[in-house]
Amino acid sequence: MAFYRSSGVLLHVTSLPSYGGIGDLGPAAHEFVAFLASARQHVWQVLPLGPTGFGNSPYAATSAFAGNPLLISLELLSDWGWLDGSRIASLNGRSGSVDFHRVEERKLPLLFEAAGNFLDRAPGDPSLAAQWEQFEEFCRAEAVWLADYALYAVLRRQFNTGAWTEWPEPLRRRQPDALAQAATQHSRAIAQEKALQFAFSLQWHQLRKAAAQQGIRILGDVAIFVNMDSADVWCHPEIFDLDENLKPRRVAGVPPDYFSPTGQRWGNPLYRWDVLAERGFDWWIDRIRHACSLYDIVRLDHFRGFEACWSIPAAEETAVNGEWVKAPGLALFRALEAALGPLPLVAEDLGVITPEVDALRHELGLPGMKVVQFGFGDKGAHIHLPHRYTPDTVAYTGTHDNNTTLGWWQAAGKAERAAIEAYVGPVGKQPVWPLIWAIEASVAQMAVVPAQDLLELGAEARMNTPALAAGNWSWRAPETSWTPELAARLAALSEATDRDNDPLAEAKK
């Protein structure tokens, strides 16, 4: 895939100012697409879209394939005739941070009500006949994961244990009789889950189509590991490193680093790469195929884990006592290419990167990432400064894991501030746009700016603090954020730095 010289904005869907207490795929998302178009931006980067579990992290989803039902727009469901508009009239909360617990309490019942209405009415309602046909086709097309996920989601609510490993033994072990009995007992709830996944898919693809019509590509995100409490591990325990009790032997994380002196113990089960290799990496092929159906470009989170991953004994409370264990690397990607053809991938290659990881990325021809915030420490960090960039780079002022640029500046010491001003000139108390200009003016093929930086917000708007268990992912943009003045400022910068390149127009040349 050609990565045209372009620029864009990192904004997760949950951060949109929508009704229901959480950003969704409805009017506010379409308004944001219109803003990007007026600002001459051609990339919208989002975080993973899967249903979130404990901690609400999009990187700890309960499925690698399903969409998060909380991202479904109630307004669009009302427009479709799935839900009476009066049922959502009392909801507010277009602004303010996300209270995930309150969203689940208020929005989920309405979503299930809408799904039930669709199931009851659609087969005999001419106005819903086309959607019913689409729903039936969706169920056939997504059969590889949909039924299993729907049953898992229903059982997860029923047992309310927080983990499938605590379910009754026959269900934990997926004994056929137990699964058949559960499927019969919960047939209505399972059908509702499928209907919600269809609604998510339909709304997402409508949004993606609207973006494509404006020459905007969606840059999505695939987390390398999956959550232990997920439909994926429950359904495919043989491809994960589990013991005889279906508990992880070793778990994923990263060693001590910039973010944490004790490292990060993520707790995700590790893959049985030997088993996956024997099967031709079938599960990964399905996963990347699905990701490419959702996104125009796919960012591979923790790319270094495809070369070697940090393996931590499950009994350890921190990530200190781990070891690097080899992963399949090139063999996996060659299998993906053989099955799916050329892939539009970006490697998230931040952190301590070895020559072997660099070699894998270069062999695959994948763009890597650079974050200008990382560049002002010692000389070794200068690879993150724009004068060191190469065209095969996606450049950022910061990511979802960093402080905002203003928050970072305010916390920086004298030496770091002096280095910043030596690089971009005096900034006073406003360092954000000079650093945005620096990455946009670089040779990096793509430059992406978090929405918080465009709005020059401080640490209060930070999306995530790695190794911090609570209080993350809840930032939402103020409702009046996407102004014509901001669009004009971005558009002028895009034009001045030759980033106003419509990929649709380029493709026609």
Side-chain angles (χ1 to χ4, degrees), residues 107-146:
K107 187 171 183 176
L108 273 180
L110 293 177
L111 290 171
F112 286 118
E113 178 182 330
N117 290 338
F118 172 70
L119 294 169
D120 292 339
R121 299 171 187 170
D125 187 337
S127 67
L128 294 172
Q131 275 194 347
W132 185 255
E133 289 183 9
Q134 288 177 295
F135 172 59
E136 292 182 317
E137 174 55 31
F138 172 80
C139 292
R140 287 190 292 269
E142 305 300 331
V144 71
W145 63 270
L146 182 60

Side-chain angles (χ1 to χ4, degrees), residues 120-358:
D120 292 339
R121 299 171 187 170
D125 187 337
S127 67
L128 294 172
Q131 275 194 347
W132 185 255
E133 289 183 9
Q134 288 177 295
F135 172 59
E136 292 182 317
E137 174 55 31
F138 172 80
C139 292
R140 287 190 292 269
E142 305 300 331
V144 71
W145 63 270
L146 182 60
D148 281 331
Y149 167 75
L151 177 56
Y152 161 85
V154 171
L155 294 176
R156 191 171 186 270
R157 281 198 310 276
Q158 178 192 0
F159 294 114
N160 194 30
T161 57
W164 60 267
T165 52
E166 304 303 319
W167 293 354
E169 188 72 2
L171 290 171
R172 286 179 69 239
R173 301 282 180 182
R174 292 181 57 82
Q175 295 176 5
D177 289 348
L179 292 180
Q181 182 179 354
T184 300
Q185 180 183 353
H186 301 290
S187 59
R188 171 71 172 185
I190 290 169
Q192 286 175 297
E193 291 287 350
K194 291 180 178 180
L196 288 179
Q197 287 303 309
F198 166 67
F200 173 92
S201 176
L202 188 56
Q203 291 188 7
W204 174 253
H205 285 96
Q206 287 173 345
L207 181 63
R208 186 179 172 193
K209 180 179 179 181
Q213 289 171 342
Q214 299 286 354
I216 296 166
R217 294 170 292 172
I218 304 294
L219 171 53
D221 203 326
V222 168
I224 180 173
F225 299 112
V226 299
N227 203 13
M228 180 64 195
D229 181 23
S230 67
D232 310 286
V233 183
W234 178 56
C235 293
H236 306 286
E238 71 281 0
I239 67 173
F240 297 94
D241 189 8
L242 309 180
D243 64 20
E244 63 277 5
N245 295 315
L246 300 178
K247 300 292 180 69
R249 290 189 177 92
R250 302 178 72 86
V251 297
V254 291
D257 61 7
Y258 169 86
F259 291 113
S260 172
T262 58
Q264 299 175 46
R265 184 191 182 280
W266 297 334
N268 311 79
L270 298 178
Y271 294 105
R272 287 283 309 276
W273 286 118
D274 56 335
V275 173
L276 281 162
E278 290 172 2
R279 293 167 38 163
F281 300 104
D282 55 350
W283 183 85
W284 267 99
I285 290 170
D286 287 339
R287 189 180 187 193
I288 297 301
R289 179 188 290 114
H290 184 72
C292 290
S293 76
L294 293 176
Y295 311 121
D296 301 292
I297 309 167
V298 177
R299 172 188 179 271
L300 296 175
D301 188 56
H302 197 58
F303 176 77
R304 73 103 53 248
F306 291 105
E307 193 280 327
C309 64
W310 189 246
S311 173
I312 308 162
E316 292 286 332
E317 294 183 358
T318 74
V320 172
N321 295 319
E323 62 178 342
W324 290 108
V325 175
K326 283 293 184 180
L330 195 60
L332 168 63
F333 289 95
R334 292 303 185 224
L336 293 173
E337 291 169 349
L340 305 175
L343 296 170
L345 305 177
V346 169
E348 184 273 287
D349 56 347
L350 304 176
V352 179
I353 300 301
T354 65
E356 292 84 359
V357 178
D358 280 333

Side-chain angles (χ1 to χ4, degrees), residues 59-82:
Y59 293 90
T62 59
S63 171
F65 295 85
N68 188 347
L70 295 179
L71 300 181
I72 296 170
S73 166
L74 295 172
E75 293 152 285
L76 292 184
L77 293 183
S78 176
D79 291 344
W80 296 350
W82 288 32

